[in-house]
Amino acid sequence: MTAGITVDLSDPVPPYEQIRRQLSSLISVGLLEPGSRLPTVRSLAADLGIAAGTVARAYKELEQQGLIESRRRNGTIVVGPPQAPDGTVRADAAVISAVDGLIRTARDARVSDETLIDLLRGRLASKLDS
Amino acid sequence: MTAGITVDLSDPVPPYEQIRRQLSSLISVGLLEPGSRLPTVRSLAADLGIAAGTVARAYKELEQQGLIESRRRNGTIVVGPPQAPDGTVRADAAVISAVDGLIRTARDARVSDETLIDLLRGRLASKLDS
DNA sequence: TCTTTTGTATCAAACTACTGATACAAAGCT
DNA sequence: AGCTTTGTATCAGTAGTTTGATACAAAAGA
């Protein structure tokens, strides 16, 4: 499954950006812990059925973002989430279970996945303040 | 403000898709009620500083999606949320409150908005089955 | 009927992105 | 040292998107 990364070629969002986003969220949320090794650009590209350069671009941007780090022969490892300055432990188990609960609720209500994402985006935009 | 629509040219997501998403979420969430008139393609394009054809494409896709409808001279109006087939009244109250709860949880955990969307997208993709 | 407004369609040019291939650079392993 | 793995870089070809312009179609209003 290569960490559950997926790419939708019919999505207007370019593949390298889809990969970058998914890895970014996995790291930020703690599902990929610091020290974890990411799949090699070639193997991930092969699994996804895309070109290696596309995966390489996603990795490059993630490295510039400070989320991952490239040792040459050692592959690419997770450095850590951008936040989590001290002992906050990035305790996002609650967030993950809330997301899963939302997915269940949405599917019970026959709300499509895309609509659900749009809905979340809309609610976020209307709550700029805390 | 033209309904608060914004476009970020530095975003890898193409502008027509940014517009489509924002309008889709505004409609799905009820902030644009059925019957509302959208700005004309020319005026919205002018306000955003982009070409009319780009806005037209967003409108076209929204119409194919069933969210809006084009009267020729009357402009473009909101038809309604995609679901709500019969009397279900688009009963997404549960979904909306679940979304709001998720947002609260995420912000308590200091998870950024973009990360939250990425996380939801990742969890949806990894749950193709029910 | 004529004019105006609005959505739709088309076109070529420019730009970006993805691909597939190839080559190179770094670093661990034998 | 030599080999292998891995990330990085480059290239030409293809495809998708935006732009700016233009033209057309439909429909309301004078």
Side-chain angles (χ1 to χ4, degrees):
Chain A
M1 282 297 173
T2 63
I5 304 295
T6 59
V7 165
D8 179 5
L9 295 180
S10 70
D11 191 325
V13 179
Y16 81 88
E17 174 69 6
Q18 294 183 41
I19 297 169
R20 191 200 62 76
R21 286 181 173 183
Q22 289 175 52
L23 287 175
S24 175
S25 64
L26 288 173
I27 295 170
S28 297
V29 105
L31 289 178
L32 281 177
E33 297 185 350
S36 305
R37 284 193 52 180
L38 296 181
T40 70
V41 292
R42 287 171 178 82
S43 68
L44 181 53
D47 287 343
L48 296 177
I50 61 178
T54 304
V55 177
R57 172 159 185 185
Y59 279 19
K60 192 178 107 186
E61 299 203 1
L62 286 166
E63 183 167 31
Q64 291 174 337
Q65 197 177 342
L67 289 174
I68 65 178
E69 200 175 89
S70 294
R71 313 268 199 282
R72 277 285 172 167
R73 166 71 185 253
N74 273 358
T76 305
I77 65 169
V78 175
V79 171
Q83 65 272 42
D86 26 286
T88 349
V89 193
R90 173 179 73 272
D92 298 310
V95 178
I96 296 176
S97 67
V99 168
D100 290 346
L102 171 63
I103 292 175
R104 255 178 278 115
T105 301
R107 294 196 166 165
D108 287 349
R110 294 186 178 184
V111 171
S112 75
D113 290 358
E114 189 158 312
T115 297
L116 179 58
I117 293 175
D118 288 341
L119 178 62
L120 173 59
R121 198 180 286 115
R123 298 302 273 183
L124 285 171
S126 66
K127 295 179 183 177
L128 299 180
D129 47 15
S130 182
Chain B
M1 282 297 174
T2 61
I5 304 295
T6 59
V7 165
D8 179 5
L9 295 179
S10 71
D11 191 326
V13 180
Y16 83 88
E17 174 69 6
Q18 294 183 41
I19 297 169
R20 190 200 63 75
R21 286 180 173 184
Q22 289 175 50
L23 287 175
S24 176
S25 62
L26 288 173
I27 295 170
S28 296
V29 108
L31 291 179
L32 280 177
E33 296 185 350
S36 306
R37 284 194 51 180
L38 297 181
T40 70
V41 292
R42 288 172 178 83
S43 68
L44 182 53
D47 287 343
L48 296 176
I50 61 178
T54 304
V55 176
R57 172 161 184 185
Y59 280 19
K60 191 178 109 185
E61 299 203 359
L62 286 167
E63 181 167 32
Q64 292 174 335
Q65 198 176 343
L67 289 175
I68 65 179
E69 201 176 271
S70 294
R71 312 268 198 282
R72 278 284 171 166
R73 165 72 184 253
N74 273 357
T76 305
I77 65 170
V78 175
V79 172
Q83 60 276 41
D86 24 287
T88 349
V89 193
R90 170 177 79 274
D92 299 313
V95 179
I96 292 178
S97 69
V99 168
D100 289 346
L102 171 62
I103 292 175
R104 252 179 281 114
T105 302
R107 293 196 166 165
D108 287 348
R110 293 187 179 184
V111 171
S112 76
D113 291 357
E114 187 157 314
T115 297
L116 180 59
I117 293 174
D118 291 344
L119 178 62
L120 172 60
R121 197 180 286 114
R123 299 300 274 185
L124 283 171
S126 67
K127 294 180 181 176
L128 300 180
D129 47 15
S130 180

